Amino acid sequence: MKKEFRDLLREKGRKTMPNVLLASAECAPLSKTGGLADVVGTLPKALARLGVDARVITPYHRVIKDKYKDRVEHLFTIRCYLGWRSCYVGIERLILDGVIIYLVDNEQYFGDRIYYGGYPEGEQYSYFCRAVLEAIPLLDFMPDVIHCNDWHTAMLPMLARTQYRGRMQEGMKYLLTIHNIAFQGKFGFDYVQDLLGVDAKYYTSEFMELYGCADYLKAGCVFADRINTVSPSYAEEIKSSYYSEGLDGILNARSAELSGIINGIDTTVFNPRSDPLIPAHYDRAHMKGKAVCKAELQHRMGLDVDPDIPIIAMVTRMTEQKGFDLVASQLDRLVSGRDVEFMLLGSGEPRFEDFMRGAEARHKGRVCAYIGYNEELAHLVYAGADFYLMPSRFEPCGLSQMIAMRYGTVPIVRETGGLRDSVQPYNCFTGEGNGFSFANYNADEMYDTILYALGCGSDKKVMRYLVSHAMEADFSFDLSAEAYARLYLCML
Ligand code: ADP
């Protein structure tokens, strides 16, 4: 064990690292719609290497049942009340890569969709919080820390500290991780009262009221012992009204308990040296394979096959959050009369999808738009492109830029959230840096930065430098896990 952890344990008068229960709506590879699942799926494995017994509790979604039913063991059945509704709660256990995952089974709430949307989603995850709190004292595990993730589990600290006072293990602490503050779980208070029986005294701006709604994430921010988010820069940004979606008041009030820990990526899955999904392998010292990947990408996607034409790529949800309005406003200007190719893999808002289909038709051989989700193609894009564009309006952490860098694809990003914390802009005087960045959410700034990057990239020596620096960055989850272990220990 690291000396730092030994010292912290001594300071806390403990012999062992804390037990942690991560509560989450999704957990990779069982169920996944976004980055939340990746964090919850990867973190416990990395924590185990530090001696932390971290387990997960998550809904037994249909997608999990279909694939893992034979490996799941039934532990016990209880009932819980959701207002007047008496609900079935089955607690099952699955062990995956050595991590114990408790699954909450209820077919009414966890059917075909991970998220029902709107008010039904409020009922789904109010049920989940209630079921988790009823199940915890019956588990074969005594957590020291309940690690809540996003609004779906953000009611746990409030319920535990009010309705379950005295029924939970003494001294149990609550950490709330905000993966994206844009989603808060906002409902009418009558509805929340009907589901969870929350006392009306908590429907004030000091507790869970925000702009006339009962806000689950706000309740979590008020009652959790510590709050963190997925990058240090985003932790700062969400204290300002531009980024906070209304929560800057509470987050400023609790700024001493708010911190940021940047996520990592699964460096065994994303590894150009061994990735089975790319046509040739490479590493920093042997880069020939990247050229093979580039030629394959150009050939497969109908782009002009030419090693000297740089490819700028995006693998993304096509939304405003990801800066797609900037891209749509500049793409024609960028590719017209210039030797550059643009490769997009993504899906999202119909207006952006239509724009990309049109751009592909207008710039045959120079623009490719693959509209849809395709994991295999994503790996080829990361490996085959030269530059990776991510001009996000806001970005809590962002994984794509880290994946791109791991494959030696130089990032061009807006300086926000996790992008700011993972990409160091190139300095042409000192040669430092591993990418390019611009400060303001502005189409011209993005355009100028892309031109600057293309200019630097046309110098083969500079490009070799940048690629090498990008691939050198350490984005393994072990660093994040250490920061989480430190945070859990500080909470005790
Ligand atoms: P988000 O805000 O969408 O979670 P991230 O950058 O954190 O953004 O993570 C997105 C992940 O989803 C990355 O691993 C990216 O490669 C993957 N991804 C996004 N869109 C697609 C797509 N159309 N096909 C394949 N993978 C995709």
Side-chain angles (χ1 to χ4, degrees):
M1 185 187 293
K2 267 188 141 179
K3 180 170 177 309
E4 177 198 357
F5 292 127
R6 279 204 309 272
D7 291 347
L8 267 169
L9 283 174
R10 199 172 315 115
E11 205 177 286
K12 298 281 173 187
R14 289 181 62 103
K15 290 211 161 44
T16 54
M17 294 293 270
N19 288 345
V20 179
L21 184 64
L22 288 108
S24 169
E26 46 184 290
C27 171
L30 305 177
S31 52
K32 174 174 167 175
T33 67
L36 163 65
D38 288 318
V39 179
V40 175
T42 321
L43 183 58
K45 285 187 269 179
L47 284 168
R49 292 194 280 275
L50 301 172
V52 177
D53 186 349
R55 306 185 183 187
V56 177
I57 189 160
T58 190
Y60 195 9
H61 297 293
R62 182 79 43 82
V63 281
I64 309 177
K65 218 167 258 184
D66 290 347
K67 217 164 143 196
Y68 294 89
K69 197 166 71 201
D70 296 342
R71 294 173 57 184
V72 166
E73 177 195 354
H74 178 69
L75 291 185
F76 55 85
T77 304
I78 48 174
R79 294 197 80 82
C80 73
Y81 278 93
L82 199 59
W84 48 267
R85 308 157 192 81
S86 168
C87 309
Y88 171 88
V89 182
I91 299 293
E92 323 287 314
R93 180 170 56 193
L94 170 67
I95 304 181
L96 205 67
D97 294 334
V99 176
I100 296 179
I101 300 169
Y102 299 104
L103 298 162
V104 175
D105 188 22
N106 180 309
E107 298 225 328
Q108 182 194 341
Y109 290 119
F110 305 125
D112 293 335
R113 280 177 296 150
I114 296 177
Y115 301 111
Y116 285 167
Y119 271 56
E121 197 170 304
E123 185 170 332
Q124 240 186 328
Y125 285 97
S126 297
Y127 161 80
F128 183 60
C129 290
R130 176 69 77 210
V132 168
L133 288 167
E134 294 290 336
I136 285 174
L138 306 174
L139 294 178
D140 52 345
F141 180 61
M142 292 260 273
D144 299 297
V145 177
I146 305 290
H147 183 163
C148 313
N149 293 277
D150 278 349
W151 75 262
H152 315 98
T153 48
M155 283 298 279
L156 288 171
M158 175 172 175
L159 293 173
R161 297 229 143 103
T162 55
Q163 298 174 4
Y164 288 77
R165 182 175 283 161
R167 284 176 57 189
M168 289 289 142
Q169 186 190 328
E170 211 180 309
M172 194 143 77
K173 301 289 187 201
Y174 297 85
L175 169 67
L176 171 65
T177 299
I178 300 173
H179 297 261
N180 190 338
I181 207 164
F183 305 106
Q184 297 184 0
K186 289 182 176 168
F187 308 99
F189 184 66
D190 290 349
Y191 185 70
V192 171
Q193 212 172 20
D194 175 53
L195 290 171
L196 291 172
V198 174
D199 194 316
K201 73 178 183 198
Y202 295 116
Y203 187 55
T204 67
S205 61
E206 286 87 4
F207 292 104
M208 70 182 310
E209 188 273 337
L210 187 71
Y211 300 137
C213 291
D215 187 305
Y216 280 23
L217 194 66
K218 179 168 179 184
C221 292
V222 171
F223 281 91
D225 296 282
R226 293 291 291 253
I227 307 158
N228 87 306
T229 182
V230 287
S231 68
S233 287
Y234 194 59
E236 278 307 308
E237 287 171 353
I238 56 175
K239 288 191 268 180
S240 71
S241 57
Y242 181 81
Y243 290 99
S244 76
E245 306 279 342
L247 291 181
D248 44 308
I250 176 69
L251 292 174
N252 277 297
R254 300 216 57 200
S255 67
E257 288 94 26
L258 170 66
S259 58
I261 297 176
I262 194 149
N263 293 330
I265 53 172
D266 192 331
T267 46
T268 50
V269 173
F270 298 109
N271 186 354
R273 212 181 282 178
S274 56
D275 188 341
L277 299 178
I278 57 175
H281 294 145
Y282 57 95
D283 58 31
R284 272 175 72 211
H286 311 90
M287 288 299 290
K288 282 210 177 96
K290 189 164 171 69
V292 177
C293 295
K294 177 170 178 175
E296 172 71 14
L297 177 65
Q298 287 174 320
H299 172 69
R300 249 173 77 178
M301 303 320 295
L303 294 166
D304 297 338
V305 181
D306 183 336
D308 293 326
I309 302 182
I311 306 178
I312 301 173
M314 293 181 79
V315 179
T316 187
R317 289 185 288 120
M318 295 159 82
T319 62
E320 254 196 61
Q321 180 203 330
K322 297 293 177 184
F324 224 85
D325 47 343
L326 300 190
V327 176
S329 75
Q330 299 301 314
L331 187 59
D332 286 298
R333 183 178 167 204
L334 182 68
V335 294
S336 300
R338 184 174 287 116
D339 266 345
V340 63
E341 293 176 350
F342 187 85
M343 166 76 218
L344 169 103
L345 165 59
S347 60
E349 289 181 32
R351 63 185 170 129
F352 295 138
E353 292 186 356
D354 289 344
F355 169 82
M356 282 311 304
R357 287 191 191 98
E360 184 179 56
R362 283 194 296 282
H363 306 283
K364 277 243 164 305
R366 287 300 160 95
V367 172
C368 171
Y370 183 106
I371 308 293
Y373 190 93
N374 186 328
E375 193 97 29
E376 188 188 343
L377 180 58
H379 284 240
L380 181 63
V381 174
Y382 286 121
D386 298 285
F387 294 97
Y388 190 81
L389 180 61
M390 207 158 163
S392 304
R393 183 186 285 278
F394 67 95
E395 196 59 71
C397 175
L399 301 176
S400 307
Q401 82 281 11
M402 299 189 208
I403 301 172
M405 289 161 84
R406 180 121 173 101
Y407 285 85
T409 300
V410 177
I412 305 172
V413 303
R414 182 167 102 81
E415 288 157 18
T416 182
L419 297 175
R420 184 158 174 247
D421 294 337
S422 54
V423 176
Q424 278 79 48
Y426 174 61
N427 180 326
C428 62
F429 302 111
T430 63
E432 288 167 317
N434 53 22
F436 296 88
S437 62
F438 58 99
N440 297 301
Y441 193 74
N442 175 297
D444 284 323
E445 253 185 67
M446 178 190 78
Y447 180 78
D448 290 345
T449 307
I450 294 174
L451 290 198
Y452 177 57
L454 291 173
C456 294
S458 64
D459 181 333
K460 286 211 161 58
K461 194 167 144 229
V462 173
M463 193 62 184
R464 263 202 306 275
Y465 244 51
L466 282 162
V467 169
S468 176
H469 286 175
M471 293 179 84
E472 200 174 57
D474 181 0
F475 295 125
S476 78
F477 226 98
D478 292 338
L479 292 177
S480 320
E482 282 187 16
Y484 275 105
R486 211 171 285 130
L487 181 56
Y488 298 145
L489 273 168
C490 291
M491 289 170 68
L492 298 179

